[in-house]
Amino acid sequence: MEITYCVSEEDHQQRAVDVLIRRTGMSRMLSKKVRLYGTLLCNGKPHRMIDPVQGGDVLIARYPSSNLEKPLIKHHEMIDILYQDDWLLVTAKPPGIVTHPSRKQDLNALTSLLSPDILHPINRLDRDTSGIVLIGLNGHTHHMISQQQTQKFYLAILHGRLPFNTGLINAPIRRDPSSLIRREIHPDGVQARTIWRTIDYNDQKDVSLVKFQLLTGRTHQLRLHSMACGCPIVGDTLYHRDRLPDELDLLAGRQMLHASQLIFQHPITGLPINVTAPVPPDMQTVLDYLDLKIV
């Protein structure tokens, strides 16, 4: 693992460790590992973490990766890898599996299927939600990207039609005190904001295809916000329990929600990365049945 930074004039005479933490997002844990087990070079010469730096200096922090710190990634027929480098992995999670095991013996979680080693998922999807999961291959990557405001987009099939073609849902969410799993919209909850755009609508079936953008990342946010607008997600049985499932819900078999696009900044290069994931076959079957098109 190697992190390079060119010291700015604003960093002049600051300690190298403080500069690296402030400017590169290096965690204090990683800085300690570099100090104890790695190397720090300043303009090509060994440098101590506590020594000051000058404007224009080039710092290179190196930490030798072991097999445990550079996880083995296995290719699995169920999981598409959308992007991969030495720092991170972007995958398309199929519906029906959790992102990360809740216990060690859960071998069917996404991270368990991908590697026998420790992975660091940066976003998580519900078991029956499909789509993009961003995974750090080390703690530094997880720390860096977790500090960002990533752009997350979802596709959803909804019962009914939202009142306008585009809009903003602003409804706070808290844990449902009567359930370990469910959340609820409540004035005492944490702020939750969602932008929507209607892509297509079937007036005969009264069903919509909607693109959501998460401005916040609360648990079950899209499922709750859709329901609050009177347009629950097709196939969602957790929050749409007040009615019997219709033919469409039975055809779907799960909530028709798919994490379709993720835009973020690479933690090392600083370049923007824009990743998309096509809808899985089961959701495409429902779209074809409803004659809804993704434009």
Side-chain angles (χ1 to χ4, degrees):
M1 181 187 298
E2 182 175 293
I3 299 173
T4 302
Y5 176 68
C6 184
V7 178
S8 69
E9 292 299 327
E10 296 178 359
D11 303 320
H12 187 72
Q13 289 301 310
Q14 300 295 311
R15 296 192 311 168
V17 62
D18 297 329
V19 172
L20 289 170
I21 289 173
R22 184 171 62 251
R23 298 301 187 185
T24 73
M26 176 185 287
S27 66
R28 293 200 176 274
M29 178 63 73
L30 180 56
S31 71
K32 184 176 181 179
K33 289 182 178 180
V34 171
R35 177 173 62 84
L36 294 175
Y37 309 113
T39 58
L40 176 65
L41 300 178
C42 180
N43 302 323
K45 297 180 180 179
H47 197 80
R48 295 190 305 168
M49 281 289 208
I50 61 172
D51 287 341
V53 294
Q54 301 182 31
D57 286 347
V58 176
L59 297 176
I60 301 177
R62 292 174 178 157
Y63 176 56
S65 297
S66 67
N67 290 334
L68 289 176
E69 287 146 358
K70 189 172 183 181
L72 170 69
I73 300 300
K74 301 182 296 184
H75 291 268
H76 194 281
E77 60 181 7
M78 291 173 50
I79 303 167
D80 290 333
I81 294 179
L82 306 174
Y83 178 91
Q84 182 178 3
D85 61 21
D86 290 338
W87 297 88
L88 54 90
L89 181 71
V90 186
T91 68
K93 185 185 83 68
I97 64 173
V98 297
T99 302
H100 192 270
S102 57
R103 53 189 185 277
K104 291 184 178 180
Q105 61 266 35
D106 189 348
L107 300 179
N108 291 321
L110 176 71
T111 54
S112 299
L113 294 174
L114 285 170
S115 178
D117 303 321
I118 295 176
L119 298 179
H120 305 264
I122 297 162
N123 70 303
R124 302 193 184 198
L125 301 178
D126 295 337
R127 179 186 294 272
D128 287 334
T129 298
S130 59
I132 295 173
V133 174
L134 173 59
I135 298 172
L137 298 184
N138 53 65
H140 177 66
T141 300
H142 183 277
H143 175 76
M144 286 284 290
I145 299 181
S146 296
Q147 309 306 307
Q148 295 184 25
Q149 186 65 39
T150 57
Q151 298 181 60
K152 303 173 185 177
F153 300 89
Y154 289 71
L155 292 173
I157 305 174
L158 307 184
H159 289 287
R161 189 173 194 175
L162 292 165
F164 307 101
N165 284 335
T166 62
L168 171 69
I169 305 168
N170 190 353
I173 293 173
R174 73 172 188 179
R175 184 184 296 275
D176 185 338
S178 65
S179 172
L180 294 175
I181 300 175
R182 288 165 57 90
R183 268 59 174 176
E184 65 178 6
I185 291 175
H186 194 278
D188 295 335
V190 182
Q191 183 188 53
R193 302 169 69 234
T194 303
I195 293 174
W196 88 76
R197 178 170 67 87
T198 300
I199 297 175
D200 202 359
Y201 175 69
N202 184 320
D203 56 353
Q204 293 182 336
K205 299 284 188 180
D206 189 26
V207 177
S208 303
L209 174 62
V210 173
K211 186 172 187 177
F212 287 120
Q213 180 180 0
L214 284 178
L215 300 183
T216 55
R218 312 304 172 205
T219 300
H220 298 172
Q221 177 172 321
L222 297 180
R223 299 163 74 177
L224 284 165
H225 278 182
S226 300
M227 184 184 67
C229 294
C231 299
I233 296 175
V234 168
D236 186 356
T237 57
L238 181 61
Y239 290 106
H240 200 193
R241 299 182 299 176
D242 58 343
R243 59 183 289 276
L244 294 174
D246 59 17
E247 177 186 2
L248 185 55
D249 292 310
L250 294 173
L251 174 65
R254 66 170 179 99
Q255 69 259 16
M256 289 287 96
L257 182 60
H258 174 70
S260 59
Q261 184 180 12
L262 180 67
I263 303 173
F264 63 97
Q265 187 180 61
H266 195 283
I268 305 305
T269 67
L271 296 175
I273 296 181
N274 186 340
V275 184
T276 59
V279 298
D282 67 333
M283 190 169 182
Q284 187 61 56
T285 296
V286 176
L287 290 171
D288 293 341
Y289 172 77
L290 296 169
D291 195 27
L292 294 173
K293 302 291 192 299
I294 301 174
V295 179

